[in-house]
Amino acid sequence: MSKVILDKNDMASFISGILNDYITSTERENQDQILNRKGLAEYFHVSPNSIDDWVNLGMPYALLGKTKRFSTKSALKWVHEHEVTKPTKKRPIRIVNE
């Protein structure tokens, strides 16, 4: 196994580079993107048929000619508005008098 030894300046540059890469990728992810059906499916890690189902449920899209385009910010907002919390089943408390 090889070892790399960095002095303070090299270490600072290395860490700065990692942080800049992270910040750049985070900013890119937070930017609004306009995607087609397949691109939005990849963005959400679902099938394109799921996107069709969501459109039928009211997910917003823009129609450019005959092609649907989706704003990632609008799609995320729509998904968050449709979040559901599953209610927990509570068992009734049984009090036993001894």
Side-chain angles (χ1 to χ4, degrees):
M1 180 182 345
S2 300
K3 275 188 176 181
V4 176
I5 299 173
L6 302 174
D7 64 17
K8 284 183 180 181
N9 291 335
D10 289 338
M11 182 60 85
S13 293
F14 178 72
I15 292 172
S16 176
I18 291 172
L19 289 175
N20 284 335
D21 289 347
Y22 175 76
I23 290 168
T24 302
S25 68
T26 302
E27 287 173 349
R28 192 177 318 120
E29 289 172 8
N30 290 332
Q31 290 177 351
D32 191 20
Q33 300 175 47
I34 304 301
L35 303 173
N36 62 13
R37 174 178 162 260
K38 182 180 177 187
L40 193 67
E42 291 172 3
Y43 181 83
F44 281 111
H45 305 285
V46 298
S47 74
N49 289 337
S50 292
I51 301 302
D52 293 337
D53 293 341
W54 295 355
V55 165
N56 291 333
L57 292 171
M59 176 181 271
Y61 63 89
L63 200 55
L64 302 176
K66 294 182 179 181
T67 307
K68 292 177 184 160
R69 298 287 185 211
F70 302 89
S71 158
T72 54
K73 282 190 177 182
S74 295
L76 281 168
K77 182 180 176 198
W78 184 86
V79 167
H80 287 301
E81 289 171 353
H82 290 81
E83 288 178 345
V84 177
T85 303
K86 184 178 177 182
T88 58
K89 294 182 180 180
K90 295 182 179 180
R91 296 183 187 180
I93 298 174
R94 182 179 295 164
I95 301 174
V96 179
N97 291 328
E98 293 184 43

